[in-house]
CSV table of all heavy atoms in Angstrom, one decimal:
chain,number,residue,atom,x,y,z
A,1035,ILE,N,101.5,100.8,122.4
A,1035,ILE,CA,102.3,101.9,122.0
A,1035,ILE,C,103.7,101.4,121.6
A,1035,ILE,O,104.3,100.6,122.3
A,1035,ILE,CB,102.5,103.0,123.1
A,1035,ILE,CG1,101.1,103.5,123.4
A,1035,ILE,CG2,103.4,104.1,122.6
A,1035,ILE,CD1,101.0,104.4,124.6
A,1036,ASP,N,104.2,101.8,120.4
A,1036,ASP,CA,105.5,101.4,119.9
A,1036,ASP,C,106.1,102.7,119.3
A,1036,ASP,O,105.5,103.3,118.4
A,1036,ASP,CB,105.4,100.3,118.8
A,1036,ASP,CG,106.7,99.8,118.4
A,1036,ASP,OD1,107.7,99.7,119.2
A,1036,ASP,OD2,106.9,99.5,117.2
A,1037,GLU,N,107.3,103.0,119.8
A,1037,GLU,CA,108.0,104.2,119.4
A,1037,GLU,C,107.2,105.4,119.4
A,1037,GLU,O,107.2,106.2,118.4
A,1037,GLU,CB,108.6,103.9,118.0
A,1037,GLU,CG,109.7,102.8,118.0
A,1037,GLU,CD,110.4,102.6,116.7
A,1037,GLU,OE1,110.2,103.4,115.8
A,1037,GLU,OE2,111.1,101.6,116.6
A,1038,GLY,N,106.3,105.6,120.4
A,1038,GLY,CA,105.5,106.8,120.6
A,1038,GLY,C,104.3,106.9,119.7
A,1038,GLY,O,103.7,108.0,119.6
A,1039,VAL,N,103.9,105.8,119.1
A,1039,VAL,CA,102.7,105.8,118.2
A,1039,VAL,C,101.8,104.7,118.7
A,1039,VAL,O,102.2,103.5,118.8
A,1039,VAL,CB,103.1,105.5,116.8
A,1039,VAL,CG1,101.9,105.5,115.9
A,1039,VAL,CG2,104.0,106.6,116.3
A,1040,GLU,N,100.5,105.0,118.9
A,1040,GLU,CA,99.5,104.0,119.2
A,1040,GLU,C,99.3,103.0,118.0
A,1040,GLU,O,99.3,103.5,116.9
A,1040,GLU,CB,98.2,104.6,119.7
A,1040,GLU,CG,98.2,105.2,121.0
A,1040,GLU,CD,96.8,105.6,121.5
A,1040,GLU,OE1,95.9,105.8,120.7
A,1040,GLU,OE2,96.7,105.7,122.7
A,1041,GLN,N,99.1,101.7,118.3
A,1041,GLN,CA,98.8,100.7,117.3
A,1041,GLN,C,97.8,99.8,117.8
A,1041,GLN,O,97.6,99.5,119.0
A,1041,GLN,CB,100.1,99.9,117.0
A,1041,GLN,CG,101.3,100.7,116.5
A,1041,GLN,CD,102.5,99.8,116.3
A,1041,GLN,OE1,102.3,98.6,116.1
A,1041,GLN,NE2,103.6,100.4,116.3
A,1042,ILE,N,97.1,99.2,116.8
A,1042,ILE,CA,96.2,98.0,117.1
A,1042,ILE,C,96.4,97.0,116.0
A,1042,ILE,O,96.9,97.3,114.9
A,1042,ILE,CB,94.7,98.4,117.2
A,1042,ILE,CG1,94.2,99.0,115.9
A,1042,ILE,CG2,94.4,99.4,118.3
A,1042,ILE,CD1,92.7,99.2,115.8
A,1043,SER,N,95.9,95.8,116.3
A,1043,SER,CA,95.9,94.7,115.3
A,1043,SER,C,94.5,94.3,115.0
A,1043,SER,O,93.9,93.5,115.6
A,1043,SER,CB,96.7,93.5,115.9
A,1043,SER,OG,98.0,93.8,116.1
A,1044,PRO,N,93.9,94.9,113.9
A,1044,PRO,CA,92.5,94.7,113.6
A,1044,PRO,C,92.1,93.3,113.2
A,1044,PRO,O,91.0,92.9,113.4
A,1044,PRO,CB,92.3,95.7,112.4
A,1044,PRO,CG,93.3,96.7,112.5
A,1044,PRO,CD,94.5,96.0,113.1
A,1045,THR,N,93.0,92.5,112.7
A,1045,THR,CA,92.7,91.2,112.3
A,1045,THR,C,93.2,90.1,113.2
A,1045,THR,O,93.2,88.9,113.0
A,1045,THR,CB,93.2,90.9,110.9
A,1045,THR,OG1,94.6,91.0,110.9
A,1045,THR,CG2,92.7,91.9,109.9
A,1046,GLY,N,93.8,90.5,114.4
A,1046,GLY,CA,94.4,89.6,115.3
A,1046,GLY,C,95.9,89.7,115.2
A,1046,GLY,O,96.5,90.4,114.4
A,1047,ARG,N,96.6,88.9,116.1
A,1047,ARG,CA,98.1,88.9,116.2
A,1047,ARG,C,98.6,87.6,115.6
A,1047,ARG,O,98.4,86.5,116.2
A,1047,ARG,CB,98.5,89.1,117.6
A,1047,ARG,CG,98.0,90.3,118.4
A,1047,ARG,CD,98.8,91.6,118.3
A,1047,ARG,NE,100.2,91.5,118.3
A,1047,ARG,CZ,101.0,92.0,119.3
A,1047,ARG,NH1,100.5,92.6,120.3
A,1047,ARG,NH2,102.3,92.0,119.2
A,1048,TYR,N,99.2,87.6,114.5
A,1048,TYR,CA,99.8,86.5,113.9
A,1048,TYR,C,101.0,87.0,113.0
A,1048,TYR,O,101.1,88.2,112.8
A,1048,TYR,CB,98.8,85.6,113.1
A,1048,TYR,CG,98.0,86.4,112.0
A,1048,TYR,CD1,98.5,86.5,110.7
A,1048,TYR,CD2,96.8,87.1,112.4
A,1048,TYR,CE1,97.7,87.2,109.7
A,1048,TYR,CE2,96.1,87.8,111.4
A,1048,TYR,CZ,96.6,87.8,110.1
A,1048,TYR,OH,95.8,88.5,109.2
A,1049,SER,N,101.8,86.1,112.4
A,1049,SER,CA,103.0,86.5,111.8
A,1049,SER,C,102.9,87.5,110.7
A,1049,SER,O,103.7,88.4,110.6
A,1049,SER,CB,103.8,85.3,111.3
A,1049,SER,OG,103.1,84.6,110.3
A,1050,MET,N,101.9,87.4,109.9
A,1050,MET,CA,101.7,88.4,108.8
A,1050,MET,C,100.6,89.4,109.0
A,1050,MET,O,100.0,89.9,108.1
A,1050,MET,CB,101.4,87.6,107.5
A,1050,MET,CG,102.6,86.7,107.1
A,1050,MET,SD,104.1,87.5,106.6
A,1050,MET,CE,103.6,88.0,104.9
A,1051,ALA,N,100.2,89.5,110.2
A,1051,ALA,CA,99.0,90.4,110.6
A,1051,ALA,C,99.4,91.9,110.3
A,1051,ALA,O,100.4,92.3,110.7
A,1051,ALA,CB,98.6,90.2,112.0
A,1052,PRO,N,98.4,92.6,109.7
A,1052,PRO,CA,98.6,94.0,109.5
A,1052,PRO,C,98.4,94.8,110.8
A,1052,PRO,O,97.6,94.3,111.7
A,1052,PRO,CB,97.6,94.4,108.5
A,1052,PRO,CG,96.5,93.4,108.7
A,1052,PRO,CD,97.2,92.1,109.1
A,1053,SER,N,99.0,95.9,111.0
A,1053,SER,CA,98.8,96.8,112.2
A,1053,SER,C,98.2,98.1,111.7
A,1053,SER,O,98.6,98.6,110.6
A,1053,SER,CB,100.1,97.0,112.9
A,1053,SER,OG,100.5,95.8,113.5
A,1054,LEU,N,97.4,98.7,112.5
A,1054,LEU,CA,96.9,100.0,112.3
A,1054,LEU,C,97.6,101.0,113.2
A,1054,LEU,O,97.7,100.8,114.4
A,1054,LEU,CB,95.4,100.1,112.5
A,1054,LEU,CG,94.7,101.4,112.1
A,1054,LEU,CD1,94.6,101.5,110.6
A,1054,LEU,CD2,93.3,101.4,112.7
A,1055,HIS,N,98.3,102.0,112.6
A,1055,HIS,CA,99.1,103.0,113.3
A,1055,HIS,C,98.4,104.3,113.3
A,1055,HIS,O,97.8,104.8,112.3
A,1055,HIS,CB,100.4,103.1,112.6
A,1055,HIS,CG,101.2,101.9,112.5
A,1055,HIS,ND1,102.2,101.6,113.3
A,1055,HIS,CD2,101.1,100.8,111.7
A,1055,HIS,CE1,102.7,100.4,113.0
A,1055,HIS,NE2,102.0,99.9,112.0
A,1056,ALA,N,98.5,105.0,114.5
A,1056,ALA,CA,97.8,106.3,114.7
A,1056,ALA,C,98.4,107.4,113.9
A,1056,ALA,O,97.8,108.5,113.7
A,1056,ALA,CB,97.8,106.7,116.2
Side-chain angles (χ1 to χ4, degrees):
I1035 298 172
D1036 185 35
E1037 296 183 7
V1039 178
E1040 286 189 337
Q1041 299 178 23
I1042 61 170
S1043 297
T1045 63
R1047 304 269 322 242
Y1048 53 93
S1049 63
M1050 298 291 281
S1053 293
L1054 188 70
H1055 302 257

